[in-house]
Amino acid sequence: MKDYRSVADAVAEQIRTGLLRPGDQLPPQREFAQQYGIAGSTAARVYRELARRGLTLGEVGRGTFVRAESSHTSAAPALTEPAGSRIDLELNYPVVPEQTALLAEGFAGLMRPDVLGDALRPIGAAGLPAVRESAADLLARGGWRPEPERVLFAGNGRQAIAAVITALVPPGGRLGVETLTYPIVKAVAARLGITLVPLAMDASGLVPEAVEEAHHSDPLNAVYIQPVLHNPLSLTMPPERVARVAEALLRLGIPAIEDTVWAFLRDELPPLAALAPERTVLVDSLSKRIAPGLTLGFVVAPGPLVADIDTSLRSGGWTPMRFALESAHRWQQDGIVRALVKAKQREALVRQDLAARHLAGFEVRSDPCSFHCWWQLPRSWRSDTFVAAAARHGIGVAPATAFTVGRNNAPNAIRLGLASPHAEVLVQALDTLAGIARSTPDDLVTD
């Protein structure tokens, strides 16, 4: 009997030598099994192994295809570092013209030697009482303000997420996530030996019944959720859906990790933490509000979890720099954070208008307040092939596979980050991508 690994090796060799080319479709598993003289269950394991190696890509309703750029599936998680593309629509950090001047004003008070000396001393995850108060003001929205004594700090938002997952989910545990989720969560779970359980979504976001079904099947240790301007979908859960999710969490006794990193763009909406404060750990950061070069992560935890998450932050080496704490405190006190938030809210409207006009006629889903959009590609394109074509034009975009959880087939879609390039560069990139989408892969083949 043939071992599935040896069959996968044979297919991998065909891909390496060019017998199977990027974009080629593999036969249905039943035909594959007949072709190689193996059982259907073995064929299924071969297809899973090829996907695990990053050699193939499964797409809903279409089949399994050879990846266009299998060499791009490195060990580094997607969307964490600049891609080196001439126009980067993968990373997504909003910048507004007045940003540098405003931030420079906030630094002025730190430049006195005595103040700077204090700002360069070490600090713990609990920060300082005055800083917790200003952090509570910064995080407040929709009539909700966290209790300052429940605020902890991390070096950045990714560290805050890692620390909370570490505190709530043991190795081998189960973390429920939306079927498309933030890639860093995938990377953290893989490193910690945590199983990600995909939870169904619909047009209103996470389906509460999916949480209940998954938990009754095998208990979940926690759920990670992005209720406002979901990355990558730009979807915001309506208040009635948030209320139903909160009710489910309370009834089932499951803690939620609520990622609100983009929620400052919809600051009229209260968080899930306002409805289920005893079950919700809120995480946020300064990177989108301010700038990625000097950032800070926030955790708002229920009282009984504060000590555990504090320990997780310290043991993981994820505590903040005091300089960042002092800077954020001053920017908040001086109204600079609020000014930047308002400017970035206005800029998001401009960017979305550009995307709507230059991608008119395509199936693009977004929110006028968001800095990213989700593009369901034309049927002539597969997301992996489109990403490769965009890269040949010097444009980096994020494929659906970066966000897809587990063995789910990835949608035939890409995420576009609209925040980072200058507006005129963004227009150039959108026009180029629209031109690629109107062609076919065969049109772009070169010898």
Side-chain angles (χ1 to χ4, degrees), residues 75-87:
L79 310 181
T80 59
E81 300 294 341
S85 301
R86 182 168 55 86
I87 303 176

Side-chain angles (χ1 to χ4, degrees), residues 415-433:
R415 192 208 71 173
L416 300 180
L418 307 177
S420 298
H422 291 295
E424 61 272 19
V425 177
L426 176 61
V427 167
Q428 174 191 340
L430 293 173
D431 285 342
T432 300
L433 294 174

Side-chain angles (χ1 to χ4, degrees), residues 389-413:
R392 288 196 292 272
H393 286 76
I395 303 171
V397 300
T401 49
F403 306 92
T404 304
V405 180
R407 296 172 180 170
N408 289 328
N409 286 332
N412 190 41

Side-chain angles (χ1 to χ4, degrees), residues 241-428:
R241 176 59 61 86
V242 178
R244 289 178 55 203
V245 170
E247 187 277 329
L249 294 171
L250 292 169
R251 178 165 41 82
L252 298 170
I254 305 172
I257 304 168
E258 181 183 12
D259 188 339
T260 64
V261 69
W262 286 111
F264 72 95
L265 297 169
R266 295 289 307 272
D267 57 5
E268 79 281 10
L269 300 173
L272 175 67
L275 298 180
E278 63 270 49
R279 287 294 173 191
T280 306
V281 182
L282 182 145
V283 294
D284 208 323
S285 82
L286 281 186
S287 60
K288 311 300 185 184
R289 286 179 177 86
I290 307 296
L294 197 156
T295 190
L296 187 66
F298 304 98
V299 177
V300 180
L305 292 178
V306 169
D308 287 345
I309 295 173
D310 185 292
T311 299
S312 180
L313 286 164
R314 287 187 286 106
S315 62
W318 295 318
T319 52
M321 295 186 299
R322 183 162 177 168
F323 187 83
L325 277 177
E326 294 283 0
S327 300
H329 175 58
R330 289 170 180 269
W331 288 330
Q332 177 66 17
Q333 294 296 103
D334 294 345
I336 291 171
V337 174
R338 171 50 48 186
L340 286 175
V341 165
K342 291 301 182 185
K344 293 184 180 187
Q345 289 172 341
R346 293 190 296 269
E347 185 65 18
L349 298 174
V350 172
R351 299 292 173 121
Q352 286 293 341
D353 179 66
L354 291 176
R357 288 192 282 117
H358 291 271
L359 298 179
F362 294 106
E363 189 178 347
V364 179
R365 178 168 60 190
S366 193
D367 183 301
C369 299
S370 175
F371 274 104
H372 52 272
C373 58
W374 185 247
W375 187 356
Q376 194 73 31
L377 294 170
R379 289 188 61 82
S380 58
W381 284 98
R382 292 183 299 278
S383 60
D384 198 53
T385 310
F386 190 89
V387 169
R392 288 196 292 272
H393 286 76
I395 303 171
V397 300
T401 49
F403 306 92
T404 304
V405 180
R407 296 172 180 170
N408 289 328
N409 286 332
N412 190 41
I414 60 171
R415 192 208 71 173
L416 300 180
L418 307 177
S420 298
H422 291 295
E424 61 272 19
V425 177
L426 176 61
V427 167
Q428 174 191 340

Side-chain angles (χ1 to χ4, degrees), residues 7-353:
V7 180
D9 290 341
V11 178
E13 181 64 13
Q14 294 178 44
I15 294 172
R16 188 190 68 80
T17 59
L19 291 176
L20 286 173
R21 301 181 59 190
D24 284 352
Q25 183 174 7
L26 299 187
Q29 291 182 18
R30 180 178 299 177
E31 293 181 19
F32 185 90
Q34 294 173 349
Q35 179 181 338
Y36 281 87
I38 57 178
S41 58
T42 304
R45 296 186 72 182
V46 171
Y47 276 45
R48 288 197 295 269
E49 176 67 13
L50 292 170
R52 188 191 67 79
R53 298 184 191 183
L55 297 174
T56 60
L57 176 70
E59 296 185 6
V60 178
R62 295 170 63 94
T64 300
F65 300 85
V66 177
R67 288 182 65 94
E69 296 283 342
S70 59
S71 62
H72 286 178
T73 56
S74 64
L79 310 181
T80 59
E81 300 294 341
S85 301
R86 182 168 55 86
I87 303 176
D88 191 347
L89 304 187
E90 291 184 89
L91 287 185
N92 205 25
Y93 290 103
V95 176
V96 291
E98 60 266 46
Q99 182 166 309
T100 303
L102 284 172
L103 295 178
E105 292 178 21
F107 278 128
L110 283 171
M111 293 302 102
R112 278 178 30 203
D114 57 332
V115 177
L116 183 60
D118 278 343
L120 296 179
R121 295 169 58 192
I123 195 74
L128 300 166
V131 180
R132 290 199 298 272
E133 287 285 347
S134 63
D137 291 337
L138 182 147
L139 297 171
R141 59 184 174 89
W144 170 85
R145 182 181 185 270
E147 298 173 18
E149 60 271 21
R150 296 190 177 190
V151 176
L152 297 170
F153 301 95
N156 56 46
R158 296 194 296 269
Q159 293 177 359
I161 291 170
V164 175
I165 291 176
T166 301
L168 296 184
V169 187
R174 285 163 50 87
L175 176 64
V177 295
E178 294 142 321
T179 50
L180 296 167
T181 195
Y182 181 34
I184 289 296
V185 173
K186 295 170 60 177
V188 170
R191 187 170 295 275
L192 296 177
I194 290 170
T195 298
L196 292 184
V197 181
L199 303 174
M201 303 177 72
D202 61 17
S204 294
L206 178 66
V207 176
E209 291 78 11
V211 178
E212 186 162 2
E213 181 180 349
H215 188 63
H216 287 326
S217 173
D218 191 355
L220 299 172
N221 296 100
V223 172
Y224 169 85
I225 183 173
Q226 303 174 77
V228 178
L229 298 180
H230 177 278
N231 178 21
L233 298 176
S234 285
L235 176 68
T236 294
M237 293 169 58
E240 58 272 17
R241 176 59 61 86
V242 178
R244 289 178 55 203
V245 170
E247 187 277 329
L249 294 171
L250 292 169
R251 178 165 41 82
L252 298 170
I254 305 172
I257 304 168
E258 181 183 12
D259 188 339
T260 64
V261 69
W262 286 111
F264 72 95
L265 297 169
R266 295 289 307 272
D267 57 5
E268 79 281 10
L269 300 173
L272 175 67
L275 298 180
E278 63 270 49
R279 287 294 173 191
T280 306
V281 182
L282 182 145
V283 294
D284 208 323
S285 82
L286 281 186
S287 60
K288 311 300 185 184
R289 286 179 177 86
I290 307 296
L294 197 156
T295 190
L296 187 66
F298 304 98
V299 177
V300 180
L305 292 178
V306 169
D308 287 345
I309 295 173
D310 185 292
T311 299
S312 180
L313 286 164
R314 287 187 286 106
S315 62
W318 295 318
T319 52
M321 295 186 299
R322 183 162 177 168
F323 187 83
L325 277 177
E326 294 283 0
S327 300
H329 175 58
R330 289 170 180 269
W331 288 330
Q332 177 66 17
Q333 294 296 103
D334 294 345
I336 291 171
V337 174
R338 171 50 48 186
L340 286 175
V341 165
K342 291 301 182 185
K344 293 184 180 187
Q345 289 172 341
R346 293 190 296 269
E347 185 65 18
L349 298 174
V350 172
R351 299 292 173 121
Q352 286 293 341
D353 179 66

